[in-house]
Amino acid sequence: MKYIDEFRNGALARNIAASIAREAHSVCHYNLMEFCGGHTHAISRHGLADLLPANIRMIHGPGCPVCVLPTGRIDQAIRLVLEHKITLCAYGDCLRVPASDGMSLLKARPRGADVRMVYSPMDALKLAQDQPEKQVVFFAIGFETTTPPTAATIKQAQALGLKNFSVICNHVLTPAAMHAILADRGGEKLDGFVGPAHVSTVIGSRPYEPFARDYGKPVVITGFEPLDVMQAILMLVRQINTGRAEVENEFTRAVTVEGNRKAQALTDNVFELRDTFEWRGLGTIAHSALKLRPAFAEFDAELRFGLDYRPVPDHKACECGAILRGEKRPQECKIFGTACTPENPIGSCMVSSEGACAAHYTYGRFKNTDIMTA
Amino acid sequence: MTLTKPGYGRPLDIRNGRIEMHHGSGGRAMTQLIDELFMAALGNTYLAQGNDGAVLPEAHGRLVMATDSHVVSPLFFPGGDIGCLSVHGTINDVAMMGAKPLYLSASFILEEGLALADLKRIVESMAKAARAAGVPVVTGDTKVVEQGKGDGVFITTTGVGVITNDTHLSGDRARPGDTILLSGTIGDHGMAILSRREGLAFDAPIVSDTAALHGLVATMLESGAALRVLRDPTRGGLAATLNEIARQSGTGMLLREATIPLNPAVGAACEFLGLDPLYVANEGKLVAICAPEDAHHLLAVMHAHPLGAQSAIIGEVLEDPRCFVQAVTAIGGCRIVDWLSGEQLPRIC
Ligand code: SF4
């Protein structure tokens, strides 16, 4: 608890905020993207924007695994579970992501879909062992942090010789998404990145170097505590003011240059790059996601059940794409807080607590209308 | 009224026995269960009459009635069990209306297969809690459901109390400018349940705060402070309770997060599990809203009671027709403390 308090200390936060206010040039605009949903949540949860001067704008990035999952991928899972009568295991947030025709994995349940919520891929593997007569498929999503546990589970399934366990792999890669954002926008409007916390513990700080070197964008890797984020913003302002573009690491208590070699080796052993993968909002990006290597083909649900992928356009009114690209804010979506709420999400950004729309709805929506305070 | 003749019937095998369907059938087995287990623990003059209802003495004042069902899983948790919880929960609901709780009823839904030893422990815990509170269980009922149709035992208690003066407490009486007080740390009950359920071991043990608050309420009422609202923040935690009051009163609220008491072990456990303690249930805490000029006197009165030793002023009522509960965060930002969306912790009370 002391550890947490140290990173939430109000007086320290005010000191950093004062430095930021002093050092940010009033004539400049600082458009900073926090890539990770974890940072988006922390910024909203702690009201961090209130401590920043008006010319520093935090732009929410696409680093929320549930948000970037395209509708077609959920549709595919629903088809699988209904047509092949398998048991599908997924993380809780995946269950509520809207699919085509008003469906979701949760709403498929009353139609006979055996969909279970799990906390880890190992839970799914255990279920496969407990019900050998039924096929169990794990719906794997996430960035580099959740990939090693999926890899370990697949290896375990192979060691056990399980014939009724497989994985739909939707694991995606952080650097590929950052490339896509910078290439798409020509990098014009972004001045720097708050780099991921947990992802960086796995991949290290080196993969961000091209963004500094080739695109001239400073990156500061930082933790999820509010003071970490404040400190990273100060470091970004200092880089921008002095014309530097470097990868700096504020999160040295957890992140190294090389990252976690063991986890990387495990991932590399089980997975290889997909040629292309569709992301919600960012479109189809080459070499941006993973699939199982041929040596593990029997655990690849897409092969085992002959699944095809059919892309589906997003809901007409939904601005998730623009939000995930950092082009719009949640409140600029016409149906934000009216048709689309956490209870009844229309787009994926309203589902997970890390989604930009859910975070703004839950913690910040009162700032949109005039506040009447006593 | 005993149907099993002494010397003929076999006593209940509390050590190894289990609930069977015939324990709810109205026959000899049921009567024996009631006599040897329920009556032995809870017995009082009202129950001893053996009627289906209790005739109670005249009460002078306005009557308050409240009911609460308890489906907690696990049945036993650090700091309590479903038995004492079901007594405290209903006493607190009666007390929050400003009434003195007088009597309880208890209704049990037992699942076939429940160990009699567990049931005995639960009923004895209930009896102990009722005795300590001075509020007897005067009537009751038991039903048995087939295995798989319940979860050990569900208990519904109903309480009756009386208001003898002109106290008027209600969730719609908060006014802009009023002060919000809290009687102690938040999240203890929910995290105690969760740590037991998930098999999590934390450095410091987390213990449920389950307690009957009518004593604390009585001293607060006697203090003469202009109280508007009392409520115990159970399911949905402090956040849900304040949002309910804000909506009922048509006001906003402003909390200062740094002032909300939190047991460090609970804070660390919440952090670990990604939960916000504002949304975690309490079973022995109350929120009080009072006129600003009385707040410090009321706080001193609460501090003087053992169940209010860690009381704090945590915020104020604002004028805001949108009924937002806002909080100044620990680092000095501002955010909404929203209604809970979805289920944070199922089956905790
Ligand atoms: S408010 Fe809903 S529909 Fe609009 S962008 Fe956000 S998630 Fe999509």
Side-chain angles (χ1 to χ4, degrees), chain A residues 52-85:
Chain A
L52 298 176
N55 57 337
I56 297 186
R57 179 176 160 201
M58 298 309 294
I59 298 167
H60 309 313
C64 153
V66 168
C67 304
V68 294
L69 206 60
T71 310
R73 284 275 157 192
I74 303 282
D75 286 358
Q76 187 186 47
I78 293 175
R79 282 201 304 276
L80 168 67
V81 63
L82 286 176
E83 287 168 18
H84 294 268
K85 303 269 174 257

PDB file of all heavy atoms in Angstrom, chain A residues 52-85:
ATOM      1  N   LEU A  52      -3.075  19.255 -16.134  1.00  0.00           N
ATOM      2  CA  LEU A  52      -2.241  19.639 -17.278  1.00  0.00           C
ATOM      3  C   LEU A  52      -2.695  20.978 -17.844  1.00  0.00           C
ATOM      4  O   LEU A  52      -3.884  21.296 -17.833  1.00  0.00           O
ATOM      5  CB  LEU A  52      -2.345  18.570 -18.380  1.00  0.00           C
ATOM      6  CG  LEU A  52      -1.867  17.164 -18.010  1.00  0.00           C
ATOM      7  CD1 LEU A  52      -2.120  16.220 -19.169  1.00  0.00           C
ATOM      8  CD2 LEU A  52      -0.395  17.180 -17.628  1.00  0.00           C
ATOM      9  N   PRO A  53      -1.752  21.777 -18.380  1.00  0.00           N
ATOM     10  CA  PRO A  53      -2.159  23.017 -19.044  1.00  0.00           C
ATOM     11  C   PRO A  53      -2.963  22.714 -20.311  1.00  0.00           C
ATOM     12  O   PRO A  53      -2.866  21.617 -20.865  1.00  0.00           O
ATOM     13  CB  PRO A  53      -0.833  23.697 -19.391  1.00  0.00           C
ATOM     14  CG  PRO A  53       0.214  22.644 -19.285  1.00  0.00           C
ATOM     15  CD  PRO A  53      -0.297  21.585 -18.366  1.00  0.00           C
ATOM     16  N   ALA A  54      -3.726  23.695 -20.771  1.00  0.00           N
ATOM     17  CA  ALA A  54      -4.661  23.456 -21.873  1.00  0.00           C
ATOM     18  C   ALA A  54      -3.955  23.086 -23.172  1.00  0.00           C
ATOM     19  O   ALA A  54      -4.547  22.433 -24.036  1.00  0.00           O
ATOM     20  CB  ALA A  54      -5.528  24.693 -22.076  1.00  0.00           C
ATOM     21  N   ASN A  55      -2.709  23.460 -23.324  1.00  0.00           N
ATOM     22  CA  ASN A  55      -2.044  23.177 -24.605  1.00  0.00           C
ATOM     23  C   ASN A  55      -1.398  21.794 -24.637  1.00  0.00           C
ATOM     24  O   ASN A  55      -0.729  21.441 -25.600  1.00  0.00           O
ATOM     25  CB  ASN A  55      -1.027  24.263 -24.945  1.00  0.00           C
ATOM     26  CG  ASN A  55       0.008  24.439 -23.850  1.00  0.00           C
ATOM     27  OD1 ASN A  55      -0.238  24.082 -22.694  1.00  0.00           O
ATOM     28  ND2 ASN A  55       1.162  24.980 -24.197  1.00  0.00           N
ATOM     29  N   ILE A  56      -1.585  21.011 -23.580  1.00  0.00           N
ATOM     30  CA  ILE A  56      -1.149  19.615 -23.640  1.00  0.00           C
ATOM     31  C   ILE A  56      -2.383  18.751 -23.770  1.00  0.00           C
ATOM     32  O   ILE A  56      -3.259  18.753 -22.908  1.00  0.00           O
ATOM     33  CB  ILE A  56      -0.354  19.196 -22.387  1.00  0.00           C
ATOM     34  CG1 ILE A  56       0.926  20.020 -22.313  1.00  0.00           C
ATOM     35  CG2 ILE A  56      -0.054  17.705 -22.426  1.00  0.00           C
ATOM     36  CD1 ILE A  56       1.856  19.606 -21.201  1.00  0.00           C
ATOM     37  N   ARG A  57      -2.463  18.037 -24.877  1.00  0.00           N
ATOM     38  CA  ARG A  57      -3.639  17.210 -25.095  1.00  0.00           C
ATOM     39  C   ARG A  57      -3.222  15.742 -25.117  1.00  0.00           C
ATOM     40  O   ARG A  57      -2.296  15.364 -25.831  1.00  0.00           O
ATOM     41  CB  ARG A  57      -4.291  17.584 -26.429  1.00  0.00           C
ATOM     42  CG  ARG A  57      -5.498  16.745 -26.708  1.00  0.00           C
ATOM     43  CD  ARG A  57      -6.225  17.145 -27.975  1.00  0.00           C
ATOM     44  NE  ARG A  57      -7.045  16.001 -28.368  1.00  0.00           N
ATOM     45  CZ  ARG A  57      -7.501  15.792 -29.579  1.00  0.00           C
ATOM     46  NH1 ARG A  57      -7.241  16.641 -30.549  1.00  0.00           N
ATOM     47  NH2 ARG A  57      -8.224  14.718 -29.846  1.00  0.00           N
ATOM     48  N   MET A  58      -3.917  14.957 -24.314  1.00  0.00           N
ATOM     49  CA  MET A  58      -3.654  13.521 -24.311  1.00  0.00           C
ATOM     50  C   MET A  58      -4.608  12.855 -25.306  1.00  0.00           C
ATOM     51  O   MET A  58      -5.821  13.038 -25.231  1.00  0.00           O
ATOM     52  CB  MET A  58      -3.870  12.929 -22.922  1.00  0.00           C
ATOM     53  CG  MET A  58      -2.952  13.490 -21.834  1.00  0.00           C
ATOM     54  SD  MET A  58      -1.198  13.473 -22.235  1.00  0.00           S
ATOM     55  CE  MET A  58      -0.889  11.700 -22.316  1.00  0.00           C
ATOM     56  N   ILE A  59      -4.028  12.114 -26.229  1.00  0.00           N
ATOM     57  CA  ILE A  59      -4.823  11.423 -27.248  1.00  0.00           C
ATOM     58  C   ILE A  59      -4.782   9.934 -26.935  1.00  0.00           C
ATOM     59  O   ILE A  59      -3.712   9.371 -26.719  1.00  0.00           O
ATOM     60  CB  ILE A  59      -4.232  11.703 -28.644  1.00  0.00           C
ATOM     61  CG1 ILE A  59      -4.317  13.211 -28.928  1.00  0.00           C
ATOM     62  CG2 ILE A  59      -4.937  10.890 -29.712  1.00  0.00           C
ATOM     63  CD1 ILE A  59      -3.511  13.649 -30.119  1.00  0.00           C
ATOM     64  N   HIS A  60      -5.960   9.331 -26.887  1.00  0.00           N
ATOM     65  CA  HIS A  60      -6.009   7.921 -26.528  1.00  0.00           C
ATOM     66  C   HIS A  60      -5.622   7.056 -27.717  1.00  0.00           C
ATOM     67  O   HIS A  60      -6.157   7.213 -28.808  1.00  0.00           O
ATOM     68  CB  HIS A  60      -7.410   7.542 -26.053  1.00  0.00           C
ATOM     69  CG  HIS A  60      -7.934   8.463 -24.998  1.00  0.00           C
ATOM     70  ND1 HIS A  60      -7.181   8.839 -23.910  1.00  0.00           N
ATOM     71  CD2 HIS A  60      -9.120   9.099 -24.860  1.00  0.00           C
ATOM     72  CE1 HIS A  60      -7.884   9.661 -23.152  1.00  0.00           C
ATOM     73  NE2 HIS A  60      -9.061   9.845 -23.707  1.00  0.00           N
ATOM     74  N   GLY A  61      -4.728   6.125 -27.497  1.00  0.00           N
ATOM     75  CA  GLY A  61      -4.240   5.266 -28.583  1.00  0.00           C
ATOM     76  C   GLY A  61      -5.010   3.960 -28.669  1.00  0.00           C
ATOM     77  O   GLY A  61      -5.991   3.746 -27.954  1.00  0.00           O
ATOM     78  N   PRO A  62      -4.547   3.067 -29.553  1.00  0.00           N
ATOM     79  CA  PRO A  62      -5.283   1.831 -29.806  1.00  0.00           C
ATOM     80  C   PRO A  62      -4.872   0.657 -28.903  1.00  0.00           C
ATOM     81  O   PRO A  62      -5.243  -0.476 -29.200  1.00  0.00           O
ATOM     82  CB  PRO A  62      -4.918   1.529 -31.265  1.00  0.00           C
ATOM     83  CG  PRO A  62      -3.552   2.085 -31.428  1.00  0.00           C
ATOM     84  CD  PRO A  62      -3.432   3.257 -30.498  1.00  0.00           C
ATOM     85  N   GLY A  63      -4.154   0.922 -27.817  1.00  0.00           N
ATOM     86  CA  GLY A  63      -3.625  -0.189 -27.029  1.00  0.00           C
ATOM     87  C   GLY A  63      -4.612  -0.810 -26.073  1.00  0.00           C
ATOM     88  O   GLY A  63      -4.327  -1.019 -24.907  1.00  0.00           O
ATOM     89  N   CYS A  64      -5.806  -1.107 -26.560  1.00  0.00           N
ATOM     90  CA  CYS A  64      -6.818  -1.788 -25.758  1.00  0.00           C
ATOM     91  C   CYS A  64      -7.225  -3.011 -26.566  1.00  0.00           C
ATOM     92  O   CYS A  64      -7.835  -2.875 -27.628  1.00  0.00           O
ATOM     93  CB  CYS A  64      -7.980  -0.829 -25.504  1.00  0.00           C
ATOM     94  SG  CYS A  64      -9.567  -1.615 -25.233  1.00  0.00           S
ATOM     95  N   PRO A  65      -6.846  -4.203 -26.122  1.00  0.00           N
ATOM     96  CA  PRO A  65      -7.006  -5.408 -26.950  1.00  0.00           C
ATOM     97  C   PRO A  65      -8.435  -5.634 -27.433  1.00  0.00           C
ATOM     98  O   PRO A  65      -8.653  -6.019 -28.586  1.00  0.00           O
ATOM     99  CB  PRO A  65      -6.582  -6.546 -26.026  1.00  0.00           C
ATOM    100  CG  PRO A  65      -5.826  -5.922 -24.921  1.00  0.00           C
ATOM    101  CD  PRO A  65      -6.272  -4.502 -24.808  1.00  0.00           C
ATOM    102  N   VAL A  66      -9.402  -5.363 -26.550  1.00  0.00           N
ATOM    103  CA  VAL A  66     -10.796  -5.605 -26.923  1.00  0.00           C
ATOM    104  C   VAL A  66     -11.245  -4.585 -27.973  1.00  0.00           C
ATOM    105  O   VAL A  66     -11.996  -4.900 -28.892  1.00  0.00           O
ATOM    106  CB  VAL A  66     -11.685  -5.511 -25.657  1.00  0.00           C
ATOM    107  CG1 VAL A  66     -13.146  -5.473 -26.034  1.00  0.00           C
ATOM    108  CG2 VAL A  66     -11.409  -6.695 -24.750  1.00  0.00           C
ATOM    109  N   CYS A  67     -10.740  -3.338 -27.831  1.00  0.00           N
ATOM    110  CA  CYS A  67     -11.183  -2.264 -28.734  1.00  0.00           C
ATOM    111  C   CYS A  67     -10.757  -2.516 -30.170  1.00  0.00           C
ATOM    112  O   CYS A  67     -11.481  -2.169 -31.102  1.00  0.00           O
ATOM    113  CB  CYS A  67     -10.611  -0.926 -28.288  1.00  0.00           C
ATOM    114  SG  CYS A  67     -10.999  -0.508 -26.597  1.00  0.00           S
ATOM    115  N   VAL A  68      -9.571  -3.079 -30.384  1.00  0.00           N
ATOM    116  CA  VAL A  68      -9.055  -3.198 -31.750  1.00  0.00           C
ATOM    117  C   VAL A  68      -9.531  -4.468 -32.447  1.00  0.00           C
ATOM    118  O   VAL A  68      -9.237  -4.691 -33.615  1.00  0.00           O
ATOM    119  CB  VAL A  68      -7.506  -3.137 -31.788  1.00  0.00           C
ATOM    120  CG1 VAL A  68      -7.032  -1.762 -31.354  1.00  0.00           C
ATOM    121  CG2 VAL A  68      -6.884  -4.220 -30.943  1.00  0.00           C
ATOM    122  N   LEU A  69     -10.256  -5.283 -31.728  1.00  0.00           N
ATOM    123  CA  LEU A  69     -10.769  -6.520 -32.313  1.00  0.00           C
ATOM    124  C   LEU A  69     -11.896  -6.173 -33.296  1.00  0.00           C
ATOM    125  O   LEU A  69     -12.891  -5.584 -32.902  1.00  0.00           O
ATOM    126  CB  LEU A  69     -11.332  -7.354 -31.165  1.00  0.00           C
ATOM    127  CG  LEU A  69     -11.389  -8.864 -31.308  1.00  0.00           C
ATOM    128  CD1 LEU A  69     -10.001  -9.435 -31.510  1.00  0.00           C
ATOM    129  CD2 LEU A  69     -12.025  -9.438 -30.055  1.00  0.00           C
ATOM    130  N   PRO A  70     -11.759  -6.528 -34.571  1.00  0.00           N
ATOM    131  CA  PRO A  70     -12.819  -6.151 -35.513  1.00  0.00           C
ATOM    132  C   PRO A  70     -14.042  -7.054 -35.366  1.00  0.00           C
ATOM    133  O   PRO A  70     -13.936  -8.186 -34.884  1.00  0.00           O
ATOM    134  CB  PRO A  70     -12.161  -6.346 -36.875  1.00  0.00           C
ATOM    135  CG  PRO A  70     -11.108  -7.375 -36.651  1.00  0.00           C
ATOM    136  CD  PRO A  70     -10.662  -7.253 -35.221  1.00  0.00           C
ATOM    137  N   THR A  71     -15.179  -6.532 -35.795  1.00  0.00           N
ATOM    138  CA  THR A  71     -16.438  -7.266 -35.690  1.00  0.00           C
ATOM    139  C   THR A  71     -16.333  -8.660 -36.313  1.00  0.00           C
ATOM    140  O   THR A  71     -16.856  -9.636 -35.775  1.00  0.00           O
ATOM    141  CB  THR A  71     -17.554  -6.473 -36.394  1.00  0.00           C
ATOM    142  OG1 THR A  71     -17.514  -5.130 -35.904  1.00  0.00           O
ATOM    143  CG2 THR A  71     -18.916  -7.063 -36.132  1.00  0.00           C
ATOM    144  N   GLY A  72     -15.622  -8.736 -37.449  1.00  0.00           N
ATOM    145  CA  GLY A  72     -15.501 -10.013 -38.162  1.00  0.00           C
ATOM    146  C   GLY A  72     -14.916 -11.127 -37.306  1.00  0.00           C
ATOM    147  O   GLY A  72     -15.260 -12.301 -37.463  1.00  0.00           O
ATOM    148  N   ARG A  73     -14.027 -10.755 -36.390  1.00  0.00           N
ATOM    149  CA  ARG A  73     -13.397 -11.774 -35.539  1.00  0.00           C
ATOM    150  C   ARG A  73     -14.385 -12.325 -34.509  1.00  0.00           C
ATOM    151  O   ARG A  73     -14.351 -13.498 -34.156  1.00  0.00           O
ATOM    152  CB  ARG A  73     -12.192 -11.178 -34.814  1.00  0.00           C
ATOM    153  CG  ARG A  73     -10.991 -11.008 -35.714  1.00  0.00           C
ATOM    154  CD  ARG A  73     -10.194 -12.301 -35.789  1.00  0.00           C
ATOM    155  NE  ARG A  73      -9.386 -12.369 -37.000  1.00  0.00           N
ATOM    156  CZ  ARG A  73      -8.783 -13.477 -37.422  1.00  0.00           C
ATOM    157  NH1 ARG A  73      -8.903 -14.605 -36.748  1.00  0.00           N
ATOM    158  NH2 ARG A  73      -8.082 -13.465 -38.519  1.00  0.00           N
ATOM    159  N   ILE A  74     -15.245 -11.464 -34.002  1.00  0.00           N
ATOM    160  CA  ILE A  74     -16.252 -11.924 -33.043  1.00  0.00           C
ATOM    161  C   ILE A  74     -17.289 -12.778 -33.784  1.00  0.00           C
ATOM    162  O   ILE A  74     -17.692 -13.846 -33.310  1.00  0.00           O
ATOM    163  CB  ILE A  74     -16.951 -10.733 -32.351  1.00  0.00           C
ATOM    164  CG1 ILE A  74     -15.933  -9.837 -31.645  1.00  0.00           C
ATOM    165  CG2 ILE A  74     -18.020 -11.206 -31.393  1.00  0.00           C
ATOM    166  CD1 ILE A  74     -15.453 -10.364 -30.328  1.00  0.00           C
ATOM    167  N   ASP A  75     -17.696 -12.297 -34.980  1.00  0.00           N
ATOM    168  CA  ASP A  75     -18.639 -13.078 -35.799  1.00  0.00           C
ATOM    169  C   ASP A  75     -18.097 -14.488 -36.029  1.00  0.00           C
ATOM    170  O   ASP A  75     -18.824 -15.479 -35.921  1.00  0.00           O
ATOM    171  CB  ASP A  75     -18.842 -12.406 -37.169  1.00  0.00           C
ATOM    172  CG  ASP A  75     -19.716 -11.157 -37.063  1.00  0.00           C
ATOM    173  OD1 ASP A  75     -20.167 -10.856 -35.948  1.00  0.00           O
ATOM    174  OD2 ASP A  75     -19.937 -10.506 -38.100  1.00  0.00           O
ATOM    175  N   GLN A  76     -16.802 -14.542 -36.347  1.00  0.00           N
ATOM    176  CA  GLN A  76     -16.167 -15.831 -36.621  1.00  0.00           C
ATOM    177  C   GLN A  76     -16.279 -16.765 -35.405  1.00  0.00           C
ATOM    178  O   GLN A  76     -16.628 -17.940 -35.538  1.00  0.00           O
ATOM    179  CB  GLN A  76     -14.689 -15.572 -36.949  1.00  0.00           C
ATOM    180  CG  GLN A  76     -13.911 -16.777 -37.415  1.00  0.00           C
ATOM    181  CD  GLN A  76     -12.440 -16.431 -37.577  1.00  0.00           C
ATOM    182  OE1 GLN A  76     -11.819 -15.815 -36.715  1.00  0.00           O
ATOM    183  NE2 GLN A  76     -11.877 -16.846 -38.719  1.00  0.00           N
ATOM    184  N   ALA A  77     -16.030 -16.192 -34.219  1.00  0.00           N
ATOM    185  CA  ALA A  77     -16.112 -17.006 -33.004  1.00  0.00           C
ATOM    186  C   ALA A  77     -17.548 -17.466 -32.754  1.00  0.00           C
ATOM    187  O   ALA A  77     -17.790 -18.599 -32.330  1.00  0.00           O
ATOM    188  CB  ALA A  77     -15.582 -16.214 -31.815  1.00  0.00           C
ATOM    189  N   ILE A  78     -18.509 -16.578 -33.031  1.00  0.00           N
ATOM    190  CA  ILE A  78     -19.914 -16.946 -32.809  1.00  0.00           C
ATOM    191  C   ILE A  78     -20.322 -18.063 -33.778  1.00  0.00           C
ATOM    192  O   ILE A  78     -20.984 -19.031 -33.387  1.00  0.00           O
ATOM    193  CB  ILE A  78     -20.833 -15.712 -32.953  1.00  0.00           C
ATOM    194  CG1 ILE A  78     -20.544 -14.730 -31.808  1.00  0.00           C
ATOM    195  CG2 ILE A  78     -22.304 -16.110 -32.949  1.00  0.00           C
ATOM    196  CD1 ILE A  78     -21.295 -13.417 -31.910  1.00  0.00           C
ATOM    197  N   ARG A  79     -19.896 -17.937 -35.047  1.00  0.00           N
ATOM    198  CA  ARG A  79     -20.196 -19.004 -36.023  1.00  0.00           C
ATOM    199  C   ARG A  79     -19.607 -20.327 -35.547  1.00  0.00           C
ATOM    200  O   ARG A  79     -20.255 -21.364 -35.573  1.00  0.00           O
ATOM    201  CB  ARG A  79     -19.599 -18.655 -37.400  1.00  0.00           C
ATOM    202  CG  ARG A  79     -20.387 -17.638 -38.193  1.00  0.00           C
ATOM    203  CD  ARG A  79     -20.046 -17.729 -39.688  1.00  0.00           C
ATOM    204  NE  ARG A  79     -18.618 -17.574 -39.985  1.00  0.00           N
ATOM    205  CZ  ARG A  79     -17.997 -16.396 -40.125  1.00  0.00           C
ATOM    206  NH1 ARG A  79     -18.673 -15.264 -39.980  1.00  0.00           N
ATOM    207  NH2 ARG A  79     -16.716 -16.346 -40.408  1.00  0.00           N
ATOM    208  N   LEU A  80     -18.363 -20.252 -35.070  1.00  0.00           N
ATOM    209  CA  LEU A  80     -17.693 -21.476 -34.628  1.00  0.00           C
ATOM    210  C   LEU A  80     -18.469 -22.152 -33.502  1.00  0.00           C
ATOM    211  O   LEU A  80     -18.758 -23.353 -33.561  1.00  0.00           O
ATOM    212  CB  LEU A  80     -16.272 -21.140 -34.154  1.00  0.00           C
ATOM    213  CG  LEU A  80     -15.533 -22.243 -33.394  1.00  0.00           C
ATOM    214  CD1 LEU A  80     -15.230 -23.429 -34.310  1.00  0.00           C
ATOM    215  CD2 LEU A  80     -14.240 -21.726 -32.776  1.00  0.00           C
ATOM    216  N   VAL A  81     -18.849 -21.376 -32.507  1.00  0.00           N
ATOM    217  CA  VAL A  81     -19.448 -21.994 -31.332  1.00  0.00           C
ATOM    218  C   VAL A  81     -20.862 -22.506 -31.648  1.00  0.00           C
ATOM    219  O   VAL A  81     -21.279 -23.552 -31.137  1.00  0.00           O
ATOM    220  CB  VAL A  81     -19.399 -21.039 -30.109  1.00  0.00           C
ATOM    221  CG1 VAL A  81     -20.210 -19.792 -30.334  1.00  0.00           C
ATOM    222  CG2 VAL A  81     -19.846 -21.733 -28.834  1.00  0.00           C
ATOM    223  N   LEU A  82     -21.576 -21.797 -32.524  1.00  0.00           N
ATOM    224  CA  LEU A  82     -22.942 -22.247 -32.838  1.00  0.00           C
ATOM    225  C   LEU A  82     -22.954 -23.407 -33.831  1.00  0.00           C
ATOM    226  O   LEU A  82     -23.698 -24.368 -33.669  1.00  0.00           O
ATOM    227  CB  LEU A  82     -23.767 -21.078 -33.387  1.00  0.00           C
ATOM    228  CG  LEU A  82     -24.205 -20.028 -32.354  1.00  0.00           C
ATOM    229  CD1 LEU A  82     -24.926 -18.876 -33.033  1.00  0.00           C
ATOM    230  CD2 LEU A  82     -25.082 -20.638 -31.261  1.00  0.00           C
ATOM    231  N   GLU A  83     -22.078 -23.335 -34.855  1.00  0.00           N
ATOM    232  CA  GLU A  83     -22.129 -24.357 -35.918  1.00  0.00           C
ATOM    233  C   GLU A  83     -21.422 -25.638 -35.523  1.00  0.00           C
ATOM    234  O   GLU A  83     -21.828 -26.725 -35.908  1.00  0.00           O
ATOM    235  CB  GLU A  83     -21.528 -23.800 -37.217  1.00  0.00           C
ATOM    236  CG  GLU A  83     -22.445 -22.779 -37.890  1.00  0.00           C
ATOM    237  CD  GLU A  83     -21.741 -22.002 -39.005  1.00  0.00           C
ATOM    238  OE1 GLU A  83     -20.687 -22.468 -39.488  1.00  0.00           O
ATOM    239  OE2 GLU A  83     -22.258 -20.933 -39.369  1.00  0.00           O
ATOM    240  N   HIS A  84     -20.350 -25.520 -34.762  1.00  0.00           N
ATOM    241  CA  HIS A  84     -19.574 -26.723 -34.440  1.00  0.00           C
ATOM    242  C   HIS A  84     -19.855 -27.246 -33.043  1.00  0.00           C
ATOM    243  O   HIS A  84     -19.214 -28.206 -32.607  1.00  0.00           O
ATOM    244  CB  HIS A  84     -18.082 -26.445 -34.618  1.00  0.00           C
ATOM    245  CG  HIS A  84     -17.685 -26.184 -36.043  1.00  0.00           C
ATOM    246  ND1 HIS A  84     -17.259 -27.184 -36.890  1.00  0.00           N
ATOM    247  CD2 HIS A  84     -17.687 -25.045 -36.765  1.00  0.00           C
ATOM    248  CE1 HIS A  84     -16.984 -26.659 -38.079  1.00  0.00           C
ATOM    249  NE2 HIS A  84     -17.241 -25.354 -38.038  1.00  0.00           N
ATOM    250  N   LYS A  85     -20.765 -26.576 -32.316  1.00  0.00           N
ATOM    251  CA  LYS A  85     -21.158 -27.050 -30.978  1.00  0.00           C
ATOM    252  C   LYS A  85     -19.954 -27.291 -30.068  1.00  0.00           C
ATOM    253  O   LYS A  85     -19.860 -28.323 -29.389  1.00  0.00           O
ATOM    254  CB  LYS A  85     -21.967 -28.358 -31.088  1.00  0.00           C
ATOM    255  CG  LYS A  85     -23.207 -28.227 -31.951  1.00  0.00           C
ATOM    256  CD  LYS A  85     -24.394 -27.832 -31.105  1.00  0.00           C
ATOM    257  CE  LYS A  85     -25.616 -27.550 -31.940  1.00  0.00           C
ATOM    258  NZ  LYS A  85     -25.916 -26.131 -32.132  1.00  0.00           N
TER     259      LYS A  85
END
